[in-house]
């Protein structure tokens, strides 16, 4: 009997908590909603960048729907206006401003459709300096930010990160393929070989990084986790850098981000709250009932950049596999194998023919194109800070 | 037997009657003192030529005290046996036959032996004392069907009515028998035993046959001769062979006869045979199979009755309020099935003695311990083990029952595969019950109940959720007389949670919450006459809430201790309930309850500008009240009306109307009772909830009441039910009125049910159509939800079909099968997406605009009993089964998260597959 019950228990254990989470795609057609989305921070001590976009349907594959052709201005509470220029792609950017810190500011937007929007006035918040540190454990590298406001005034923090890392092509190739108009294999120039070897790429933070010290006696943030680089990532293959911008934000902005975070990042256990509508502090003066998403606060960031090399990170190893495979020198076979630009030629393979007494081209080693040409993963223009 | 009786009549008519014509020459004189029948007969035989015949057994309780002077024998016996069950007959051979019990015997002498005019039995003293009723020490115990029990001091007049009352007990265990029906056929008068096993019947004087019907006992009857008000305790035999037959109601015609609508009674035998997850008999999961009862999902034993919220149910365990009736986040109910006797759910007509919650009252009644001998049970399951012990403290007077359950499933969690999301989760819970019943004397009983349940679990997070229920109550029951019964109950109920996190040394914290109530109440039942019963009483509750303590954990923690101000209040009520049978067909139940709630200091109360949302921006100031200061009083009447009209013996129509008030609120950011929910008292900024309900039902039984059918409809209104502002914070919010707004709600539905109670195949099938809608259309109260339109509540599930069935294969093996289907519950889902802060984010729909996929589940189990020999040392039985047989991944909830650049939708199911289980129980 003991044996029987043991078996039952094991079955039970296997089935109980597995498959508890399954993809779910509610059929939600015909929902055509297109609300204005406003994102950015008024910077009184530099360039202010605002992005305008619109909400899209869940089923739509395309990325953002940007809002172009709007007139965007920063407006102070004593009616001074500072224009932002439409830089395309929904990005609006001011010149380098040095605005009085004792005033309050808001954003005024007039879309090309003639609808007008205003954010609420926000006071200028100054941010204490940020310290960025990192540590390595069995999972990878964790980068975190710390700060301290001796005046106990900041309380609500937000961070934005910009990561940059160098990538080198593991395989070097002397060939490149021209697919149109005809399939041809051509020799690379020496310069092109160099250009395809060393590149840099970057990524902006994609999570909401906010913290509050309201429940603590001191306005101190210690080791707030910003970025985790898991083992095997190619970010630390050569050298890595991260720029952390820290903002002091208002309580309202913090709560806005908290709700957004709850709705979109933290859900997934049995006890999570119901989602709720996120609005923000932007309203339409044309139709106060209109839903607008976004929170425009006013803060002067403090920033810090650090570098980490692969040696410093315990001779970091990327899990990227760049293995070459042989394709015989036959035009049909080559065309078939190299039909898309995902693959490229690494080298030509010759074999000594004992009859002719010469080496003959018998085929090519091919590999993933991104292993050969780093420009497929980034840019070979060296960043100014590198 | 019948034939013999006729022969006997014939014998009397033909032989005895002619003999009466002549005067017997032999007369009797003497002073007889406390003689038994044998002594008395010998004395007569020595004085006369009469020979006296009788059955010793029939006369063993007879004592004769008589002074006669030269009287004929027939006069002596006439006087002696007047208005008793005894009779005599004298034949011409001077043989005297003494008999007892047969009505015909009692009547014949009055017709045939009419005393001659002028003949007076010149006696002063009492003539007969029947020992079976004489003993003042206690009421007689009626335990056989064949005897006639005589009640009251014999009088010559059988005019008018008398009250018969007493207790009914199981003769095997001494346990009181609750809800047993006792009735006479003609005229049809009946009652049922109350929660103490007490009954009171007003009957015409004379002889009657009491019919007794109840679950778990053999149908039986008792014959009585009622002379005057008196007591008769009934000992009844349990049905030993019964193999857990589905019996949902004590009385087979209760559904037709009860005045109240929407009352469900289920005894533990039924609960035990319903397959439950992991084979743990689960009191609350069975409640969920009843029409009109729903839950938001599998991991929530919190339930919704007729569109009410989970906090609108008053859950009582032997009069103690249980605030969190679940273990392990709702997977198991916190009631040990081994100490539970039965449950009663009132979902429509709530008796006037209950109040304080809007939706329902769930009474979980504990068993009494065995009064005769010490017994126990032990159970081994995959998740929990149980041990229960019960027995007499003083034989037949007081008994105890002790029960405990604990889990040992931590090892199971560690066995999980590495990618399972709950690998390494810690699960720990236990519950302990102790109950003592003590019969002081015939008029006084004392009951003690102690209850403790404890949980400490995490879900593989670094937060440990611990919570606890603690209850103790003492009840004193006093029988004033046959018509008036009173109880006084006092108790303390406490629920608390203690969550703590060790995450990050500087932010490690403890989070504690507690609610405690001290109760005192008295209840009286007055049996005015067989047609009119009155209940009345008083109750008061002192609530004390510790709304939150957030404190540092460990020396390194920088958490600032934040201790929220305690709050307290007094809730009192007085009630009067009447049950009046206007005619045998028409019965009324009408009551009124007046409740009052006093919110008391010390407390700081925020004040807000009028007619604007209660937001921090609209705060105008605050007032601080001192200890015990009266801050706010809410009060009002509640009416409870129900009427039943029995069209025929097996068809009745009922209707009811109720109003209720609820002064405490549970606040939760989730839909299930979870370990971070808090309870909040009404205060100047948070109004009490108010609800009323009108309902109507049809009840029809078929095939000699073996099949019951019912159809009920209801319409319910809710006022000032709390819903949450978007993204509101509930835990540790000192200004909680900022996070909530009042809604108006309406709920309506139709409930159909068919039950088969007896036979090899039994069970029930129910269908419910119900809607629950809420509305927030006051812009002054806060954000409008769904533009001020009605929106479905979180637990609005319109269609629900449930089948519970049991098939008895043999006396030892039975097979149970359950199936349930319901509409998926409403959720708020993304209708769009937008890019913000580096990711695509979901844009959510109107509140509760969409629904999760429909719910469907089937369970089976096989119950195997060891054997039924009564006299063996231990009895054991096995339960083998499978929960969620079809392996359907029923969605508990759905959610959408941004993973990198994508928004992904997931549905979450608590049980993703079929779950086999095995349970072993032993009874000793």
């Amino acid at each position: 009997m003991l044996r029987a019950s043991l078996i039952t228990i094991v079955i039970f254990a296997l089935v109980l908590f597995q498959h508890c989470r399954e993809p779910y795609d509610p059929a939600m057609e015909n929902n055509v909603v297109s609300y204005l989305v406003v994102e950015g921070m008024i910077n009184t001590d530099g360039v202010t960048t605002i992005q305008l976009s619109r909400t899209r349907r869940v089923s739509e594959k395309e990325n953002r729907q940007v809002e172009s052709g709007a007139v965007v201005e920063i407006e102070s509470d004593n009616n001074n206006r500072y224009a932002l220029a439409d830089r395309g792609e929904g990005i609006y950017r001011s010149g380098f401003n040095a605005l009085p810190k004792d005033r309050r500011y808001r954003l005024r937007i007039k879309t090309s459709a003639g609808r007008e929007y205003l954010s609420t006035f926000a006071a200028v918040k100054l941010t204490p300096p940020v310290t960025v540190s990192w540590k390595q454990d069995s999972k990878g590298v964790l980068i975190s930010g710390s700060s301290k406001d001796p005046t106990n005034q900041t309380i609500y923090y937000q961070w934005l990160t910009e990561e940059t890392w160098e990538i080198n092509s593991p395989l070097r190739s002397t060939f490149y393929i021209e697919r149109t108009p005809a399939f041809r294999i051509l020799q690379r120039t020496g310069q092109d070989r160099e250009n395809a070897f060393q590149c840099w790429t970057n990524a902006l933070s994609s999570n909401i990084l906010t913290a509050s010290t309201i429940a603590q006696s001191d306005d101190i943030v210690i080791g707030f986790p910003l970025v985790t680089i898991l083992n095997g990532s190619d970010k630390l293959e050569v050298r890595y850098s991260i720029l952390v911008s820290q903002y002091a934000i208002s309580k309202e902005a913090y709560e806005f981000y908290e709700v957004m975070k709850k709705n979109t990042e933290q859900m997934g256990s049995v006890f999570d709250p119901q989602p709720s509508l996120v609005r923000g502090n932007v309203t339409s003066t044309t139709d106060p009932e209109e839903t607008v998403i976004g929170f425009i606060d006013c803060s002067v960031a403090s920033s810090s950049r650090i570098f980490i090399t692969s040696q410093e990170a315990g001779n970091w190893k990327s899990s990227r596999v760049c293995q070459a495979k042989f394709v015989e020198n036959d035009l049909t076979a080559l065309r078939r194998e190299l039909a898309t630009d995902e693959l490229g030629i690494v080298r030509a393979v010759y074999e000594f023919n004992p009859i002719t007494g010469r080496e003959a081209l018998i085929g090519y080693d091919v590999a993933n194109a991104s292993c050969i040409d780093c420009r497929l993963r980034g840019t070979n223009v060296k960043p100014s800070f590198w | 037997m019948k034939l013999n009786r006729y022969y006997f009549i014939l014998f009397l008519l033909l032989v005895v009657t002619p003999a009466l014509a002549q005067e017997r020459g032999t007369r009797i004189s003497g002073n007889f003192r406390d003689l038994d029948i044998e002594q008395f007969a010998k004395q007569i035989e020595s004085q006369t030529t009469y020979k006296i015949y009788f059955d010793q057994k029939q006369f063993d309780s007879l004592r004769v005290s008589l002074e006669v002077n030269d009287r004929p024998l027939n006069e002596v016996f006439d006087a002696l046996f007047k208005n008793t069950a005894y009779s005599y007959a004298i034949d011409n051979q001077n043989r005297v036959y003494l008999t007892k019990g047969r009505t015909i015997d009692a009547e014949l002498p009055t017709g045939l032996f009419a005393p001659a005019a002028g003949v007076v039995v010149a006696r002063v003293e009492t003539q007969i004392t029947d020992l079976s009723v004489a003993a003042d020490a206690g009421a007689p115990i009626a335990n056989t069907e064949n005897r006639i029990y005589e009640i009251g001091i014999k009088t010559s007049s059988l005019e008018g009515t008398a009250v018969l009352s007493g207790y009914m007990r199981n003769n095997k265990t001494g346990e009181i028998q609750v809800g047993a029906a006792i009735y006479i056929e003609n005229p049809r008068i009946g009652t049922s035993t109350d929660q103490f096993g007490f009954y009171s019947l007003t009957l015409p004087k004379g002889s009657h046959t009491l019919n007794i019907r109840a679950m778990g006992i053999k149908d039986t009857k008792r014959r009585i001769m009622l002379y005057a008000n008196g007591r008769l305790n009934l000992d009844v035999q349990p049905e030993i062979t019964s193999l857990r037959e589905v019996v949902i109601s004590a009385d087979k015609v209760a559904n037709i006869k009860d005045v109240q609508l929407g009352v469900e009674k289920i005894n533990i035998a039924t609960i035990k045979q319903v397959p439950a997850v992991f084979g743990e008999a689960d009191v609350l999961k069975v409640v969920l199979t009843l029409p009109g009862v729903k839950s938001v999902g599998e991991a929530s034993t919190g339930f919704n009755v007729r569109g009410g919220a989970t906090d609108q149910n008053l859950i009582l365990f032997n009069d103690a309020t249980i605030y969190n009736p679940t273990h392990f986040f709702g997977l198991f109910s916190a009631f040990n099935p081994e100490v539970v006797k039965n449950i009663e759910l009132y979902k429509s007509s709530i008796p006037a003695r209950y109040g304080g919650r809007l939706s329902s009252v769930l009474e979980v009644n504990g068993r009494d311990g065995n009064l005769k001998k010490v017994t126990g049970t032990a159970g081994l399951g995959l998740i929990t083990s149980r041990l229960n012990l019960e027995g007499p403290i003083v034989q037949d007077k007081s008994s105890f029952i002790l029960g405990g359950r604990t889990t040992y499933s931590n090892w199971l969690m560690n066995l999980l595969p590495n990618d399972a999301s709950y690998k390494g989760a810690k699960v720990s819970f236990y519950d302990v019950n102790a109950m003592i019943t003590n019969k002081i004397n015939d008029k006084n009983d004392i009951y003690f109940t102690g209850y403790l349940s404890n949980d400490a679990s995490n879900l593989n997070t670094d937060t440990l959720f611990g919570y606890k229920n603690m209850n103790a109550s003492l009840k004193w029951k006093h029988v004033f007389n046959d018509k008036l019964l009173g109880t006084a109950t006092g108790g303390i109920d406490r629920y608390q949670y203690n969550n703590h996190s060790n995450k990050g040394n500087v932010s490690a914290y403890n989070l504690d919450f507690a609610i405690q109530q001290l109760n005192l109440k008295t209840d009286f039942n007055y049996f005015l006459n067989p047609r009119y019963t009155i209940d009345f009483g008083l109750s008061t509750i002192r609530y004390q809430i510790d709304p939150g303590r957030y404190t540092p954990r460990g020396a390194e923690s920088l958490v600032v201790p934040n201790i929220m101000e305690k709050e307290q209040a007094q809730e009192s009520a007085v009630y009067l309930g009447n049950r009046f049978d206007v005619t045998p067909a028409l019965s009324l139940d009408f009551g009124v309850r007046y409740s009052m709630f006093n919110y008391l200091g010390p407390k700081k109360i925020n004040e807000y500008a009028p007619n604007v949302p209660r937001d921090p921006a609209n705060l105008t100031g605050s007032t601080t009240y001192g200890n015990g200061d009266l801050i706010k009083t809410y009060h009002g009447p509640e009416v409870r009306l129900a009427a039943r009209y029995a069209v025929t013996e097996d068809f009745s129509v009922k209707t009811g109307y109720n109003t209720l008030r609820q002064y405490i609120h549970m606040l939760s950011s989730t839909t299930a009772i979870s370990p971070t929910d808090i309870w909040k008292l009404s205060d100047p900024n948070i109004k009490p909830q108010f609800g009323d309900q009108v309902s109507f039902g049809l009840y029809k039984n078929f095939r000699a009441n073996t099949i019951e059918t019912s159809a009920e409809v209801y319409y319910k209104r809710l006022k000032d039910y709390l819903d949450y502002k978007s993204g509101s914070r509930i835990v540790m919010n000192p200004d909680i009125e900022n996070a909530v707004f009042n809604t108006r709600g309406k709920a309506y539905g139709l409930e159909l049910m068919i039950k088969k109670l007896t036979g090899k195949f039994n069970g029930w099938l129910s269908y419910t159509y119900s809607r629950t809608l809420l509305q927030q259309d006051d812009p002054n109260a806060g954000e409008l939800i769904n533009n001020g339109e009605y929106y479905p509540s979180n637990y609005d599930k319109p269609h629900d079909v449930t089948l519970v069935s049991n098939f008895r294969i043999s006396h030892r093996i039975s097979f149970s099968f359950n199936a349930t289907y319901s509409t998926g519950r409403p959720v708020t889902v993304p209708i769009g997406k937008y890019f913000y802060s580096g990711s695509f984010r979901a844009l959510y729909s109107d509140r509760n605009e969409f629904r999760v996929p429909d719910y469907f589940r089937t369970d089976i189990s096989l119950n195997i009993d060891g054997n039924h020999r009564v006299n063996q040392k231990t009895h054991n039985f096995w339960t083998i089964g499978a929960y969620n047989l079809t392996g359907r991944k029923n969605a508990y909830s759905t959610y959408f998260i941004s993973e990198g650049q994508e928004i992904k939708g997931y549905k979450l199911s608590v049980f993703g597959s079929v779950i086999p289980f095995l349970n072993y129980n032993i009874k000793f």
Side-chain angles (χ1 to χ4, degrees), chain B residues 752-901:
Chain B
L752 302 175
M753 188 158 183
I754 176 163
K755 287 183 239 173
K756 185 170 178 291
L757 305 172
T758 52
K760 274 198 159 177
F761 181 73
N762 50 54
W764 66 89
L765 175 68
S766 67
Y767 166 77
T768 310
Y769 172 78
S770 63
R771 296 303 312 270
T772 313
L773 304 167
L774 301 174
Q775 186 182 38
Q776 204 301 94
D777 61 351
D778 180 6
N780 292 334
E783 62 191 279
L784 294 184
I785 300 296
N786 296 5
N787 296 320
E789 305 287 322
Y790 273 105
Y791 62 94
S793 73
N794 289 329
Y795 37 86
D796 176 64
K797 296 161 91 177
H799 300 281
D800 183 299
V801 184
T802 301
L803 171 73
V804 172
S805 66
N806 180 254
F807 184 70
R808 197 192 296 182
I809 297 161
S810 75
H811 272 277
R812 289 175 49 190
I813 300 172
S814 73
F815 173 77
S816 297
F817 176 78
N818 283 357
T820 177
Y821 161 85
S822 65
T823 316
R825 72 181 182 89
V827 285
T828 310
V829 302
I831 51 167
K833 60 180 179 181
Y834 58 95
F835 195 85
Y836 208 96
S837 234
S839 284
F840 269 100
R841 313 270 168 193
L843 173 72
Y844 283 94
S845 68
D846 275 345
R847 194 168 285 194
N848 291 340
E849 197 182 340
F850 293 85
R851 286 179 185 278
V852 302
D854 291 351
Y855 184 94
F856 178 70
R857 198 191 77 229
T858 51
D859 318 314
I860 53 166
S861 78
L862 195 64
N863 309 308
I864 304 163
D865 275 25
N867 65 51
H868 290 291
R869 258 168 273 147
V870 178
N871 293 325
Q872 60 182 356
K873 278 219 166 66
T874 61
H875 297 262
N876 53 60
F877 62 90
W878 292 88
T879 308
I880 302 162
Y883 184 86
N884 195 16
L885 191 63
T886 57
R888 184 180 160 92
K889 296 173 177 67
N890 284 305
Y892 168 81
S893 70
T894 58
Y895 63 94
F896 297 81
I897 51 173
S898 42
E899 294 182 351
Q901 303 297 304

Side-chain angles (χ1 to χ4, degrees), chain B residues 34 72 105 128 136 138 228 335 344 364 480 515 602 625 644 872 891:
Chain B
D34 200 23
D105 303 343
I128 268 193
D136 214 353
F335 298 109
E344 275 182 75
V364 178
F480 293 91
I515 178 168
Y625 293 86
R644 185 249 352 194
Q872 60 182 356

Side-chain angles (χ1 to χ4, degrees), chain A residues 9 12-13 15 17 20-22 24 28 31 38-39 55-56 60 206 215-217 263-265 271 273 276 295, chain B residues 278 329 382 411-412 416 560 670 727 830-833 836-839 841 844 889 894-895 898 905-907 909:
Chain A
I9 288 159
F12 151 81
V15 297
F17 292 112
C20 288
R21 206 176 82 152
E22 279 199 312
Y24 174 58
M28 276 175 300
N31 49 65
V38 185
E39 187 180 5
T55 62
R56 310 213 69 172
E60 283 175 310
S206 66
Q216 294 171 200
S217 50
N263 280 352
T264 55
E265 286 178 7
F271 302 108
S276 51
F295 201 102
Chain B
F278 313 127
F329 312 110
L382 291 177
W411 64 274
L412 255 175
L416 295 181
V560 188
T670 68
I831 51 167
K833 60 180 179 181
Y836 208 96
S837 234
S839 284
R841 313 270 168 193
Y844 283 94
K889 296 173 177 67
T894 58
Y895 63 94
S898 42
Y906 290 100
K907 60 183 178 129
S909 44

Side-chain angles (χ1 to χ4, degrees), chain B residues 253-400:
Chain B
V253 289
N255 64 324
I256 302 289
K257 297 194 66 191
D258 280 356
V259 185
Q260 285 162 339
L261 301 89
V263 181
E264 307 281 357
K265 297 178 190 175
I266 307 180
N267 74 336
I268 192 66
T270 305
I271 292 167
K272 283 186 178 172
Q273 78 184 6
V274 173
V277 61
F278 313 127
E280 291 280 316
D282 196 311
V283 168
L284 295 179
K285 297 289 184 216
V286 174
V287 171
L288 292 179
T289 66
L290 299 171
V293 185
K294 310 192 176 213
S295 81
V296 286
E298 263 170 322
S300 61
T301 314
F303 55 93
N304 307 100
V305 177
R306 289 193 168 173
T310 48
D311 66 335
Q312 292 171 351
N313 306 311
L314 181 62
I315 300 170
L316 296 172
F317 178 65
N318 280 359
D319 288 308
T321 305
I322 307 292
Y323 278 90
N324 188 337
T326 67
H327 281 311
F328 193 39
F329 312 110
L331 280 182
F332 308 100
S333 69
F335 298 109
N336 182 348
E338 298 302 325
V339 301
V340 171
K341 176 160 60 186
N342 60 22
I343 56 168
E344 275 182 75
L345 176 72
Y346 299 90
K347 55 186 183 178
S348 173
S349 307
I350 293 176
R353 67 176 182 275
Y354 295 123
R357 298 291 191 282
L358 291 193
S359 281
S360 76
V361 176
L362 177 72
E363 270 188 355
V364 178
N365 297 312
R367 282 196 306 124
D368 288 340
N370 195 321
L371 276 170
K372 313 273 184 192
K373 61 170 185 167
V374 176
T375 63
T377 58
L380 283 173
L382 291 177
I383 299 286
T384 69
S385 279
R386 310 170 278 283
L387 185 67
N388 304 284
L389 209 61
E390 58 184 293
I393 298 170
V394 179
Q395 185 109 9
D396 286 326
K397 246 184 142 50
S398 60
S399 69
F400 71 93

